[in-house]
């Protein structure tokens, strides 16, 4: 698995605030397009809040506004700061050119820290810790649980300590990912922390490459066996 740029990890982890080589902002969307985008944000926020079953109209309205404000802020920042703001330099970890996604993550991660802080403070003011996590899970389509289940499948004897470290990294990825606009960017943020998890396992007595290979080999063997069984199964009697 290709490792992310060392500088990119540091920028994302530390919340670096940097900007250079400013590129012209993208043309402003039309009024119709902007209105439709706003409606989509309102609907998304309403759906997420409805899933919490708050049974409190005041609290529901307050949480929905916090989410709408955040979604609007990151959309606008993302649209105003394209990847071309970042120079097309080299990835210091691989000596390869920075990818468009590398440059996008660096550009977007330079947004004011207050955008993220306002979201988290607003949610925590109105919701329990479990409900806050539920909102973050909605934003990242359940990537924490999904990715953790993947680790458990690849490492069946995962220890409680290993699981705790992995979950902590995935939750950090989740909170960081809510400052990005689309699933490709969210997945790229999670990839950084997945690499951290694999490095952790490698330095604590595991061999991630061998574990992953064994998992893939077993899955392929099962698939081949299922296909062979299907090929030799007697045909169903005609009705």
């Amino acid at each position: 698995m290709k490792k992310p740029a060392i500088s990119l990890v540091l920028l994302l982890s530390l919340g670096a605030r940097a900007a250079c080589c400013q590129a012209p902002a993208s043309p402003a969307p039309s009024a119709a397009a902007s209105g439709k985008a706003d409606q989509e944000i309102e609907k998304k926020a309403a759906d997420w809040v409805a899933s919490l079953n708050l049974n409190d109209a005041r609290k529901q309205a307050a949480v929905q506004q916090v989410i709408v404000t955040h979604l609007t802020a990151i959309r606008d920042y993302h649209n105003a700061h394209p990847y071309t703001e970042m120079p097309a330099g080299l990835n210091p970890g691989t000596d390869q050119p920075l990818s468009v996604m590398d440059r996008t993550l660096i550009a977007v991660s330079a947004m004011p820290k207050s955008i993220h802080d306002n979201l988290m403070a607003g949610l925590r003011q109105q919701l329990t810790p479990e409900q806050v996590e539920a909102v973050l899970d909605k934003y990242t389509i359940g990537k924490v649980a999904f990715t953790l289940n993947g680790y458990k499948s690849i490492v069946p004897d995962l220890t409680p300590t290993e699981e705790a470290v992995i979950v902590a990294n995935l939750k950090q990825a989740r909170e960081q990912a809510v400052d990005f606009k689309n699933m490709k960017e969210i997945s790229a943020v999670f990839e950084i922390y997945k690499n951290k998890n694999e490095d952790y396992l490698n330095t604590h007595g595991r061999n991630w490459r061998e574990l992953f290979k064994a998992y893939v080999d077993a899955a392929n063997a099962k698939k081949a066996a299922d296909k062979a069984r299907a090929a030799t199964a007697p045909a169903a009697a005609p009705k």
Side-chain angles (χ1 to χ4, degrees):
M1 183 180 293
K2 182 180 178 181
K3 296 293 182 180
I6 295 173
S7 58
L8 177 59
V9 175
L10 291 175
L11 279 167
L12 289 171
S13 299
L14 300 177
R17 302 291 178 261
C20 64
C21 305
Q22 293 291 327
S26 301
S30 67
S34 180
K36 182 179 179 181
D38 288 343
Q39 290 174 3
E40 290 173 351
I41 284 177
E42 291 279 357
K43 183 179 185 306
K44 185 179 291 186
D47 289 345
W48 292 357
V49 174
S51 71
L52 298 175
N53 298 312
L54 295 177
N55 299 315
D56 182 327
R58 182 201 60 78
K59 181 177 291 188
Q60 183 170 322
V63 174
Q64 185 168 327
Q65 186 56 53
V66 168
I67 295 172
V68 167
T69 298
H70 184 73
L71 291 175
T72 302
I74 61 172
R75 178 200 65 193
D76 292 348
Y77 190 92
H78 181 285
N79 291 347
H81 297 274
Y83 76 92
T84 48
E85 286 190 350
M86 298 298 110
L90 292 179
N91 178 328
T94 65
D95 199 33
Q96 297 297 312
L98 289 170
S99 68
V100 170
M101 183 57 72
D102 289 339
R103 295 163 67 191
T104 298
L105 295 186
I106 295 170
V108 177
S109 67
M111 73 172 62
K113 186 173 180 291
S114 59
I115 293 177
H116 180 84
D117 291 346
N118 289 342
L119 168 70
M120 299 308 299
L123 293 179
R124 289 168 178 155
Q125 182 179 2
Q126 301 292 337
L127 304 175
T128 66
E130 294 75 18
Q131 289 170 332
V132 171
E133 290 205 34
V135 172
L136 302 185
D137 279 331
K138 284 290 184 182
Y139 195 98
T140 56
I141 61 169
K143 273 187 171 291
V144 169
F146 177 82
T147 309
L148 177 61
N149 286 336
Y151 280 114
K152 288 181 175 180
S153 296
I154 297 168
V155 192
D157 60 341
L158 200 67
T159 69
T161 298
E162 289 170 335
E163 181 173 339
V165 171
I166 287 171
V167 169
N169 281 333
L170 293 178
K171 287 186 175 182
Q172 186 174 353
R174 179 182 62 187
E175 183 170 337
Q176 200 154 34
V178 300
D179 293 337
F180 292 85
K181 181 183 175 183
N182 56 50
M183 285 312 304
K184 285 186 178 180
E185 294 171 11
I186 288 171
S187 295
V189 173
F190 268 83
E191 191 68 21
I192 293 170
Y193 288 89
K194 285 164 66 178
N195 285 332
K196 289 182 68 174
N197 282 334
E198 291 156 22
D199 287 342
Y200 168 80
L201 292 173
N202 283 334
T203 57
H204 288 76
R206 303 283 192 176
N207 186 316
W208 176 255
R209 186 182 296 275
E210 290 183 0
L211 287 165
F212 187 75
K213 183 178 184 303
Y215 170 77
V216 172
D217 289 347
N220 287 339
K222 182 179 184 304
K223 183 178 180 180
D226 290 344
K227 185 177 180 180
R229 272 196 303 271
T232 58
K239 295 183 179 179

